[in-house]
């Protein structure tokens, strides 16, 4: 496992397991399996509705807490909730969170950042993250707060390498954590001839070549899966290195193409979030059982 040092001196594994769109039972099993294989970074979020499962997996893994790097996220509805950090700790069953993100730059994200900065100074979180923030929003945070964020989790893959955003982030050594690292599983991306060529060269899969590209670009990467074979393959990246020539070839596939429309996603997720809160409030167990929320 390789580590990256953040701008506050905290070290983070550059490869982890993501849990987006993975139901609680699957998340608990997948995270436990990943930790047993050697993963030491786990990413979740309040919106994923599986933080409790992630916490159970961490405890059941037998791995020391201080060896595991846990990142999670607050949804905008909680940015003004003074108890939001404590509630996240309770859901995870942890004493501290290694990296806590603001999930979206919507709502009162300035209030949300104040919340994170306070928790950071109190030692409840070890690093501060933002998610889906563009360059102007990063600059606003830098202007208004003394604590620089350590990570920005954004869509990033060979079709969309975030060049403009990196121009703002790199001078402050803010790291990218890539979501949709394989382009939402787009076969057009994964099967680009350059990845097929390099996969043959290194006896790897196309997906492994792409994930290795992320790491060598200096990005943190968190591919998610509930398939044990995929989880194992995604971790098997540390026995080869792409050359400068390889990296230059991969650069040529950049299409400046994003897959996600965050505005539409945010509206949809707000509905999901409130629906889930309703279930928790009124204990609609039959709905949880039927629909898996």
């Amino acid at each position: 496992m390789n580590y990256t040092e953040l701008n506050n001196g905290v070290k983070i594994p550059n490869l982890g397991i993501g849990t987006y769109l993975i139901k609680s039972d699957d998340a608990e099993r997948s995270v436990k399996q990943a930790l047993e294989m050697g993963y030491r970074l786990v990413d979740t979020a309040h919106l994923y509705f599986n933080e409790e499962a992630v916490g159970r997996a961490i405890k059941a893994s037998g791995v020391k807490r201080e060896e595991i790097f846990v990142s999670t996220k607050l949804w905008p509805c909680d940015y003004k909730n003074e108890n939001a950090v404590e509630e996240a700790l309770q859901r995870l069953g942890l004493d501290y969170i290694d990296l806590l993100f603001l999930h979206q730059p919507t709502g009162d994200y300035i209030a949300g950042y104040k919340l994170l900065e306070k928790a950071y100074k109190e030692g409840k979180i070890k690093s501060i993250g933002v998610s889906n923030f563009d360059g102007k929003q990063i600059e606003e945070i830098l202007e208004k707060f003394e604590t620089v964020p350590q990570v920005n989790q954004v869509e990033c893959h060979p079709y969309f390498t975030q060049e403009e955003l990196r121009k703002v982030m790199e001078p402050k050594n803010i790291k990218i954590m890539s979501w949709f690292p394989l382009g939402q599983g787009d076969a057009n991306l994964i099967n680009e001839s350059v990845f097929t060529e390099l996969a043959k060269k290194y006896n790897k899969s196309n997906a492994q070549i792409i994930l290795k590209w992320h790491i060598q670009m200096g990005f943190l990467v968190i591919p998610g899966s509930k398939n044990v074979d995929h989880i194992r393959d995604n971790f098997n990246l540390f026995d080869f290195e792409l050359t400068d020539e390889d990296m230059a070839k991969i650069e040529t596939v950049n299409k400046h193409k994003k897959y996600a429309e965050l505005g539409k996603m945010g509206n949809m997720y707000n509905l999901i979030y409130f629906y889930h809160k309703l279930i928790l409030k009124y204990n609609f167990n039959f709905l949880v059982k039927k629909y898996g929320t």
Side-chain angles (χ1 to χ4, degrees):
M1 173 61 69
N2 295 335
Y3 288 78
T4 293
E5 185 170 308
L6 301 176
N7 60 26
N8 61 350
V10 170
K11 292 184 178 179
I12 181 173
N14 52 22
L15 172 68
I17 184 167
T19 60
Y20 175 56
L21 294 181
I22 300 180
K23 295 179 182 178
S24 289
D25 289 348
D26 292 329
E28 183 172 352
R29 181 178 61 256
S30 297
V31 169
K32 185 173 182 293
Q33 290 170 337
L35 292 171
E36 290 169 351
M37 291 176 193
Y39 283 81
R40 289 299 180 264
L41 166 61
V42 182
D43 181 71
T44 181
H46 193 185
L47 187 73
Y48 301 170
F49 312 137
N50 57 24
E51 286 173 305
E52 293 88 347
V54 168
R56 291 193 298 270
I58 289 170
K59 289 183 178 178
S61 71
V63 180
K64 294 180 181 178
R65 168 65 186 96
E66 58 270 23
E67 295 180 10
I68 303 172
F69 196 104
V70 180
S71 63
T72 190
K73 309 171 196 71
L74 299 182
W75 192 244
C77 306
D78 275 333
Y79 289 174
K80 292 185 177 181
N81 176 7
E82 294 182 358
N83 298 315
V85 175
E86 288 294 338
E87 290 169 3
L89 288 167
Q90 289 173 13
R91 288 191 298 273
L92 288 161
L94 301 177
D95 296 325
Y96 66 91
I97 295 168
D98 297 276
L99 172 60
L100 186 56
F101 290 95
L102 300 182
H103 205 150
Q104 295 281 359
T106 57
D108 193 346
Y109 59 84
I110 297 301
Y113 202 89
K114 287 179 181 177
L115 201 67
L116 296 194
E117 188 173 57
K118 180 174 182 290
Y120 177 72
K121 291 178 178 179
E122 292 172 346
K124 295 177 181 178
I125 65 176
K126 303 301 182 183
S127 303
I128 295 176
V130 293
S131 181
N132 302 309
F133 278 53
D134 63 24
K136 289 183 179 179
Q137 291 155 343
I138 292 287
E139 289 173 340
E140 182 183 13
I141 293 296
L142 295 175
E143 180 182 337
K144 292 185 176 180
F145 293 93
E146 64 175 289
T147 307
V148 176
Q150 280 72 57
V151 181
N152 188 8
Q153 188 177 121
V154 291
E155 178 179 348
C156 189
H157 42 75
Y159 276 177
F160 190 77
T161 63
Q162 294 284 2
E163 300 104 314
E164 293 304 311
L165 179 61
R166 283 157 47 203
K167 290 177 184 177
V168 176
M169 292 172 50
E170 287 174 356
K172 295 295 183 179
N173 196 21
I174 302 169
K175 298 297 183 183
I176 281 180
M177 183 180 283
S178 305
W179 57 261
F180 280 178
L182 300 174
Q184 204 179 11
D186 181 7
N188 292 318
L189 169 60
I190 294 171
N191 294 322
E192 285 277 359
S193 60
V194 63
F195 301 127
T196 301
E197 173 191 331
L198 293 174
K200 290 178 181 177
K201 176 181 177 180
Y202 294 105
N203 194 28
K204 295 291 180 180
S205 70
N206 290 35
Q208 286 172 316
I209 296 297
I210 295 171
L211 294 175
K212 186 67 172 186
W213 169 84
H214 280 275
I215 291 172
Q216 290 190 211
M217 284 291 290
F219 305 150
L220 309 167
V221 63
I222 45 167
S225 180
K226 59 183 180 182
N227 181 305
V228 64
D229 293 326
H230 291 169
I231 294 169
R232 184 180 296 109
D233 288 344
N234 290 344
F235 191 70
N236 187 19
L237 304 176
F238 300 105
D239 57 351
F240 76 105
E241 291 288 323
L242 299 170
T243 66
D244 290 344
E245 183 182 358
D246 296 335
M247 295 293 285
K249 287 181 180 178
I250 295 172
E251 187 177 349
T252 66
V253 308
N254 186 3
K255 298 181 183 298
H256 310 281
K257 172 186 175 182
K258 296 179 73 172
Y259 292 91
E261 294 184 55
L262 291 177
K264 292 181 180 179
M265 289 173 66
N267 291 335
M268 178 185 71
Y269 287 144
N270 278 329
L271 292 174
I272 295 172
Y273 178 88
F274 282 117
Y275 173 63
H276 186 259
K277 294 283 278 188
L278 191 69
I279 289 172
L280 294 179
K281 181 176 181 180
Y282 293 106
N283 196 24
F284 288 165
N285 290 325
F286 70 96
L287 286 175
V288 175
K289 184 176 181 181
K290 182 175 181 181
Y291 297 109
T293 50

